[in-house]
Amino acid sequence: MVDEGVLADQSGVFCIGLGKHHWPDFAISSPEALLAVIGARTKHIRLASSVTVLSSDDPVRVFERFSTVNGISNGRAEVILGRDSFTESFPLFGYDLSDYEILFDDKLDLFAALLKNEPVTWRGQTRPPLIDQRVFPTIESGTMKTWIGVGGSPQSVVRAAHYDLPLMLAIIGGDPNRFRPMSISTIGPSHNLAGRFVKSACTTAVSPKPMKKHETDSGQTIKRCAIGLAPNVAGRR
Amino acid sequence: MTRADFDSEIERGSLYAGSPETVARRIATTA
């Protein structure tokens, strides 16, 4: 994986995103560790998770890990926050799957506060409060690029708009036009988000169509494409 | 993953993206 990241950098790939799972045939359970190594061996490629399951993690620890990667890589770390398609991390880390929604909503609220790179006072439902708490290492450039991963839920678009975070659309094969209903022009009016602008990008592993530039029906442009790697230790992909 | 699974994902998109509800809906649609 590290060598693939280095090769991607040498080949001019803009961004590499590493997924994670916690089962036997998946190579990565801790993408930040690999991203740090890749970051130390590369110069240009952006280093992302795809995705970080914030629901079954701790926002403070996620921030600390990625801000460390960010420092090692001279500001190239990017966090893609998601809720996860699979559920194995919930029992593994002691969370109840029935709290699937509140865990993400609550922790996203804290993570958004941490991104301001200032002392945080926060109170929520799923973890102890923070009072005027600083989190280290701080981000030298002021903030850290953070996305909301979207796999098909309109509510994810609403969340992104609420926190003014960009979307990362999980177009893993298939026709990208099926994400057209995810546009803010479609969802916005029913969620008091009319006129809001949400930046979008897409991540793709395989696609039958060119993915570099797509116009959404609200006139926004999906600006770039990342490569999401979901490595399988058995080499079946 | 078989070759047929891979080819299917290229054509129709991965079933396994999005929330568990989204995944379940896709699986139900393609079943």
Side-chain angles (χ1 to χ4, degrees), chain A residues 135-156:
Chain A
V135 177
F136 303 98
T138 55
I139 304 298
E140 184 178 13
S141 61
T143 191
M144 185 161 54
K145 188 73 172 181
T146 300
W147 306 78
I148 299 293
V150 180
S153 169
Q155 192 61 35
S156 297

Side-chain angles (χ1 to χ4, degrees), chain A residues 83-87 100 151-153 170 172-175 178 206-208 236-237, chain B residues 1 6 8-23 25-26:
Chain A
R83 297 184 298 166
D84 209 353
S85 306
F86 297 89
T87 57
Y100 183 83
S153 169
I172 307 175
D175 186 351
R178 74 183 189 282
V206 286
S207 174
R236 284 178 286 169
R237 279 186 186 267
Chain B
M1 173 178 277
F6 185 82
S8 177
E9 287 200 356
I10 293 175
E11 183 62 31
R12 296 190 298 187
S14 174
L15 296 175
Y16 307 105
S19 69
E21 279 189 11
T22 301
V23 171
R25 189 172 62 247
R26 289 194 183 123

Side-chain angles (χ1 to χ4, degrees), chain A residues 18-20 31-32 48-55 57 62 65-66 78-84 104 111:
Chain A
L18 301 184
K20 76 169 183 71
E32 301 91 340
S49 56
S50 60
V51 298
T52 295
V53 183
L54 191 62
S55 320
D57 211 324
V62 171
R65 297 197 302 263
F66 273 91
E78 302 195 9
V79 192
I80 304 177
L81 300 173
R83 297 184 298 166
D84 209 353
F104 189 75
F111 196 84

Side-chain angles (χ1 to χ4, degrees), chain A residues 20-162:
Chain A
K20 76 169 183 71
H21 280 295
H22 307 274
W23 51 45
D25 69 347
F26 205 83
I28 301 174
S29 61
S30 180
E32 301 91 340
L34 278 174
L35 290 172
V37 177
I38 294 171
R41 289 182 54 188
T42 56
K43 294 186 183 309
H44 304 291
I45 194 167
R46 306 288 300 182
L47 307 160
S49 56
S50 60
V51 298
T52 295
V53 183
L54 191 62
S55 320
S56 58
D57 211 324
D58 182 83
V60 175
R61 294 292 291 153
V62 171
F63 183 92
E64 289 178 340
R65 297 197 302 263
F66 273 91
S67 62
T68 301
V69 173
N70 201 58
I72 289 171
S73 64
N74 199 23
R76 288 182 281 136
E78 302 195 9
V79 192
I80 304 177
L81 300 173
R83 297 184 298 166
D84 209 353
S85 306
F86 297 89
T87 57
E88 83 277 6
S89 70
F90 287 81
L92 181 62
F93 298 121
Y95 293 100
D96 190 334
L97 196 56
S98 65
D99 294 328
Y100 183 83
E101 300 288 346
I102 185 62
L103 282 168
F104 189 75
D105 287 346
D106 207 40
K107 294 182 179 186
L108 176 60
D109 190 61
L110 173 54
F111 196 84
L114 294 169
L115 287 174
K116 295 174 183 172
N117 212 23
E118 299 169 348
V120 168
T121 297
W122 178 90
R123 185 176 300 275
Q125 302 177 53
T126 59
R127 56 150 291 148
L130 298 178
I131 300 172
D132 201 27
Q133 180 70 53
R134 296 204 72 190
V135 177
F136 303 98
T138 55
I139 304 298
E140 184 178 13
S141 61
T143 191
M144 185 161 54
K145 188 73 172 181
T146 300
W147 306 78
I148 299 293
V150 180
S153 169
Q155 192 61 35
S156 297
V157 181
V158 176
R159 283 192 194 90
H162 178 74

